[in-house]
Amino acid sequence: MAWRSSGHSNTELIENLFRNGLIKTERVRDAFMKVDRAHYTPHQYAAYEDSPQPIGHGATISAPHMHASAAESLLPFLCPGSRVLDIGSGSGYLTAVLAELLFPAGPRTEDAGRVVGLEHIKELKDLGERNMGKSERGRELMGDGRVEFVVGDGRKGWIEEAMGEKDAGWDAIHVGAAAKEPHKALIEQLRSPGRMFIPIEEKDGFGEQYIWVIDKDEKGEVKYKREYPVRYVPLCDAPK
Ligand code: SAH
């Protein structure tokens, strides 16, 4: 897949992903167009390749086609006012794309919603912030609090104390590292309705991982759907 969608510019990469059916909707395409992947990878020669790249601390920026798949899957839950949690935000690239999907151009409106990037390595939380801060739009979104990067253990999700119980939780949760299980705290923090996109390692397997799409409906009933095999870095303890 990598050789088919790579491009020489951000526009070319995104257009190729769209033409090859990896980005399926114009809404997702337009959001990706607004975020320059070169701001998020230290490997400039490979910025527009459809491949994962190391970003330090054992982390990688995922391949654009994986980010596309995640964004397409979560799309029905990315509406005006939605609250979105990006666990294992790493480079900050997908956090920025999710923000573009949520927030129309221009200054913050009342009830704008929120995107939080959650990292367990402080240096990577800072990296995401720094990368997003390379564009004026990124600085605007972080400056007025629509987007925030925080440090914590993604297996516990992220609870915002300031939010009342009714308003807490997340319409969409993206997990960018492979979990051992669908962590209970994450399911609890999903709103009704809400959706989580999460790679999970197979139980009693040989390290195989699959994307799972976990939906909580209006009544709070949770449904699990196993999608396709993937390879992510583990959702694990922070290094000492
Ligand atoms: N979405 C990111 C993916 C980065 S790789 C990107 O495309 O840039 C996975 C990330 O998950 C790493 O940055 C790693 O530090 C983070 N991670 C691993 N275990 C974690 C945990 N328990 N809590 C929060 N983040 C974690």
Side-chain angles (χ1 to χ4, degrees), residues 4-143:
R4 282 206 307 156
S5 295
S6 298
H8 294 102
S9 65
N10 205 56
T11 304
E12 212 176 276
L13 166 67
I14 306 311
E15 270 171 1
N16 288 342
L17 288 165
F18 190 61
R19 189 169 324 118
N20 293 330
L22 298 159
I23 291 178
K24 298 183 192 315
T25 60
E26 291 183 4
R27 212 181 131 204
V28 168
R29 182 196 61 191
D30 294 350
F32 272 88
M33 284 286 189
K34 290 180 186 146
V35 182
D36 188 346
R37 192 164 184 264
H39 289 176
Y40 294 85
T41 170
H43 309 280
Q44 292 305 303
Y45 64 93
Y48 307 123
E49 273 180 17
D50 186 15
S51 65
Q53 285 137 28
I55 55 170
H57 302 274
T60 52
I61 176 172
S62 300
H65 69 263
M66 278 313 307
H67 286 142
S69 176
E72 290 289 353
S73 171
L74 294 172
L75 193 60
F77 297 85
L78 307 176
C79 309
S82 289
R83 289 171 45 79
V84 179
L85 181 63
D86 182 21
I87 296 176
S89 51
S91 66
Y93 177 70
L94 186 66
T95 318
V97 171
L98 291 168
E100 290 299 348
L101 280 162
L102 219 59
F103 307 122
R108 180 183 187 146
T109 53
E110 189 123 332
D111 247 7
R114 189 156 151 87
V115 176
V116 172
L118 173 57
E119 250 300 328
H120 69 161
I121 299 177
K122 160 90 166 56
E123 287 81 357
L124 288 174
K125 174 255 186 196
D126 293 344
L127 177 73
E129 235 165 43
R130 213 162 47 241
N131 288 341
M132 199 164 166
K134 289 175 187 169
S135 72
E136 198 183 329
R137 168 75 165 161
R139 290 192 294 277
E140 180 192 33
L141 289 169
M142 290 188 292

